[in-house]
Amino acid sequence: MTLRLFNTLTGQLDPLTPADGMALRMYACGPTVYDYGHIGNFRTFLQIDILRRALQLLGTPVRHVMNITDVDDKIIRNAAQAGMPIGDYTQPYIDAFFEDFESLRMERPEQIARATEHIPQMVALVEKLAAEGAAYKAEDGSWYFRLKSFPEYGKLSKKDLSGMEDGARVDVDEYEKDSARDFALWKAAKPGETSWETAIGRGRPGWHIECSAMAMEYLGESFDLHAGGEDLMFPHHENEIAQSEMATHKQFARHWMHVRFLLVDGRKMSKSEGNFYTLRDLLLKGYKASAIRLALVSVPYRHQFNFTFDGLAEATSAVDRLRTFHERLKAGGFAPGESSQMQEAARKAKAEYREALADDLNTAEARAPIFELIRAANTAIDQGECFAADSEAILEVLKDFDAVFDVLEDRDAEPTRRALAWAEKSGRMNEVTPELIAAQSLTDEGIEMLVAERSAAKKTRNFARADQIRNELAEKGVILEDSKDGVRWKRK
RNA sequence: GGCGCGGUACCCAAGUGGUAAGGGAGAGGUCUGCAAAACCUUUAUGCGCCGGUUCGAUCCCGGCCCGCGCCUCCA
């Protein structure tokens, strides 16, 4: 099945297919590692994860390159303030990023590319542009892209810059540019700043050049898809197109995907607004990684997603419902045979689910048939009308669901544990919610012992003691479920 | 100012020119020692407002109101 994805460049839904008929070559702008990742960053990366997983589910393998911007103005400034080389400054944030990446169960891109490890490729690109007459060196040794050389500039963001007057907004330190909107390809070294000695002079890369150079390095001069947050559309991606297409005379990326921003309580998230959350903040508040993943992913990527704690609580309930049902199926015990109704329900759910994903990654719509199937199946199971072959068919549908959403298996303990260890190490234990600390005080073995004691109490009809134990466990976030097959427990 | 997006039940949210998916929450019920889980019933004659096109519009067109984003570092 072919995925139809909105293409910023054409302004319409275009089929997303590999030009070479092999793997789909995609480049996604990754993080700038000057701080811990916030939920806005992760909403974007998660939606790109949904894309790559959906592609694979629908039969298209991917070759996904993600960059790490480990040199830029902010990094240089912060590292200088901390009095350390930029590599030492960025490394902890890079490690933290991948830890968070894993906590949210994002699949590793096939290639991770760090800007500082691709300086030669960038230099070569600048030289190529210079040869084309599209780049020039300013008096201070910086290199700029000559915007006038690329008439198509603005085709991605639909901006008409022809009316822009030169000199309208010239930064004081950029007076050497020929034209105000020319952007830096290479910045001349300033005293004390990180720089590289290269054929085009001593300096460091401009912001946009890294993505062009690395995308071409790993995907070729022309590739299938380029993705990123909506803010990157202009000027970042526009500049990438200009410098890449001037250098190669080929179309850079055929398809452009932009993920809309996340809001918090209806406002743009920002540190000054006091509504800024990192993934770690949420984990320390006791929310599970799977619920955060589901919440950030359930509103389709082209819509603003308004993050609220109510919404996160809702996602938590949704994850519980999915898992409870999944467990119920896995527990087995179904009579041999099949029912035509359940077979048909499973077939229909699977088809609708896939179709929704193929339709511009409509995750909200994709969820619906899954939950519908769950209700139908629960009813059938209650009435003894769900058989072994039905259970298998439904599990297959859930497998499809989880191939993209990836929340069914409870792997939430590890991210929380890691977040707590980090809080401990970095002196942030005061940010940890007391309930979480209480929950951590119980080991699985401890829970099992209390559960056993309660079962014994119940046998002797000592319900007072049994309820006491249940309440005690509840206070520490452990929920019990009695059933005729025994007691099940789970952490909230 | 330029560009763009949205306004659907208590909350989140999908959707179609023919009369409103799904999730969460609430209420009642079945089941249970009590719970939990599960299931059933229940919560929009209406989809921001006003016109228009149409046999018929939430969905198409026009206007208006409100909210948000981008245009500058930003995912």
Side-chain angles (χ1 to χ4, degrees):
Chain A
M1 189 183 290
T2 299
L3 181 79
R4 299 174 305 279
L5 190 75
F6 185 83
N7 184 351
T8 309
L9 201 55
T10 62
Q12 61 185 23
L13 292 190
D14 288 336
L16 182 60
T17 51
D20 63 4
M22 309 286 281
L24 187 116
R25 288 170 294 152
M26 57 184 274
Y27 184 91
C29 288
T32 303
V33 283
Y34 61 92
D35 201 349
Y36 295 103
H38 60 248
I39 54 175
N41 297 124
F42 290 124
R43 142 110 150 150
T44 296
F45 300 138
L46 276 165
Q47 293 288 354
I48 292 167
D49 185 60
I50 294 294
L51 170 71
R52 58 167 288 143
R53 286 168 175 265
L55 279 166
Q56 292 172 115
L57 177 72
L58 299 177
T60 303
V62 298
R63 173 157 175 73
H64 173 188
V65 178
M66 181 177 76
N67 70 295
I68 302 281
T69 299
D70 56 357
V71 53
D72 85 327
D73 292 353
K74 210 173 288 187
I75 289 170
I76 289 172
R77 190 194 62 209
N78 291 4
Q81 273 170 11
M84 52 173 75
I86 60 168
D88 291 357
Y89 174 78
T90 56
Q91 195 55 49
Y93 294 120
I94 294 174
D95 294 341
F97 177 76
F98 284 111
E99 206 175 279
D100 292 347
F101 209 79
E102 196 180 307
S103 290
L104 289 170
R105 302 204 55 72
M106 287 186 263
E107 288 184 348
R108 274 268 187 167
E110 281 63 32
Q111 180 73 48
I112 308 284
R114 289 177 59 160
T116 53
E117 293 171 359
H118 297 80
I119 301 292
Q121 289 88 338
M122 298 183 214
V123 169
L125 190 55
V126 174
E127 288 176 320
K128 210 166 176 184
L129 285 169
E132 293 283 342
Y136 60 91
K137 190 174 190 174
E139 276 176 36
D140 73 338
S142 294
W143 287 81
Y144 292 98
F145 182 84
R146 182 170 286 120
L147 219 58
K148 269 185 269 185
S149 67
F150 189 66
E152 289 178 86
Y153 192 78
K155 66 180 176 181
L156 180 71
S157 55
K158 321 290 182 229
K159 283 186 193 304
D160 179 7
L161 298 178
S162 57
M164 281 285 182
E165 288 299 317
D166 275 2
R169 300 178 71 168
V170 187
D171 288 350
V172 280
D173 61 6
E174 289 177 345
Y175 59 91
E176 290 144 320
K177 293 194 283 187
D178 285 2
S179 170
R181 299 200 73 99
D182 288 356
F183 58 88
L185 297 165
W186 184 258
K187 297 183 178 184
K190 289 182 188 164
E193 277 188 3
T194 304
S195 61
W196 285 261
E197 185 62 55
T198 73
I200 56 171
R202 172 163 280 280
R204 61 189 172 90
W207 173 27
H208 319 291
I209 196 77
E210 58 170 283
C211 285
S212 289
M214 296 193 290
M216 289 186 205
E217 171 78 8
Y218 296 107
L219 299 173
E221 295 182 337
S222 196
F223 54 97
D224 299 309
L225 172 77
H226 197 312
E230 64 169 327
D231 58 310
L232 298 181
M233 194 167 95
F234 184 89
H236 184 54
H237 290 161
E238 201 71 72
N239 291 354
E240 280 187 55
I241 290 174
Q243 65 199 7
S244 302
E245 300 192 350
M246 277 307 292
T248 66
H249 300 288
K250 289 179 187 156
Q251 181 170 32
F252 185 47
R254 298 158 51 222
H255 207 121
W256 289 80
M257 170 194 187
H258 291 98
V259 181
R260 285 208 74 182
F261 263 173
L262 161 151
L263 307 177
V264 174
D265 295 326
R267 293 264 144 205
K268 183 165 171 171
M269 181 170 74
S270 75
K271 284 180 178 169
S272 54
E273 289 257 350
N275 63 356
F276 184 92
Y277 299 107
T278 64
L279 173 65
R280 284 144 198 260
D281 290 335
L282 299 184
L283 290 173
L284 295 182
K285 284 179 189 292
Y287 294 98
K288 40 188 170 191
S290 56
I292 298 168
R293 176 178 168 95
L294 188 65
L296 292 177
V297 129
S298 290
V299 171
Y301 78 97
R302 275 210 291 148
H303 292 286
Q304 286 174 332
F305 169 67
N306 186 20
F307 175 86
T308 62
F309 283 101
D310 283 353
L312 197 47
E314 178 198 315
T316 303
S317 299
V319 167
D320 284 344
R321 179 165 170 79
L322 289 161
R323 285 181 183 169
T324 301
F325 175 72
H326 190 219
E327 291 301 320
R328 191 177 193 190
L329 280 192
K330 284 198 299 184
F334 299 99
E338 65 174 61
S339 92
S340 54
Q341 286 95 326
M342 285 320 297
Q343 291 292 325
E344 171 59 16
R347 189 204 58 75
K348 184 163 167 279
K350 188 169 189 164
E352 289 178 359
Y353 167 75
R354 289 185 173 224
E355 179 50 44
L357 285 178
D359 183 14
D360 202 23
L361 299 176
N362 193 336
T363 47
E365 194 172 17
R367 280 174 45 151
I370 302 301
F371 281 98
E372 268 178 288
L373 178 64
I374 288 175
R375 184 160 39 74
N378 268 323
T379 301
I381 296 171
D382 286 349
Q383 295 170 349
E385 287 165 11
C386 180
F387 303 98
D390 302 330
S391 165
E392 289 305 315
I394 296 164
L395 280 169
E396 279 300 310
V397 179
L398 291 185
K399 204 169 150 192
D400 258 31
F401 173 75
D402 222 35
V404 176
F405 285 81
D406 201 1
V407 295
L408 286 181
E409 296 296 335
D410 185 350
R411 302 188 184 92
D412 291 317
E414 184 60 16
T416 299
R417 191 199 61 71
R418 273 203 302 257
L420 282 166
W422 170 77
E424 180 97 61
K425 204 172 65 188
S426 53
R428 296 177 197 237
M429 287 306 283
N430 59 320
E431 294 169 25
V432 181
T433 189
E435 289 77 16
L436 187 57
I437 293 171
Q440 293 301 116
S441 70
L442 269 180
T443 62
D444 288 5
E445 292 71 31
I447 294 170
E448 299 283 3
M449 277 178 61
L450 285 168
V451 167
E453 188 189 339
R454 174 169 169 276
S455 295
K458 273 178 64 180
K459 235 169 213 153
T460 59
R461 301 194 66 79
N462 184 355
F463 294 123
R465 176 60 186 150
D467 289 351
Q468 187 189 13
I469 291 172
R470 188 170 63 200
N471 292 337
E472 195 180 309
L473 286 169
E475 278 170 24
K476 294 179 177 177
V478 176
I479 295 165
L480 300 187
E481 286 177 27
D482 291 337
S483 77
K484 53 179 181 293
D485 304 320
V487 185
R488 279 196 303 275
W489 64 267
K490 64 184 178 195
R491 293 184 190 266
K492 197 162 67 179

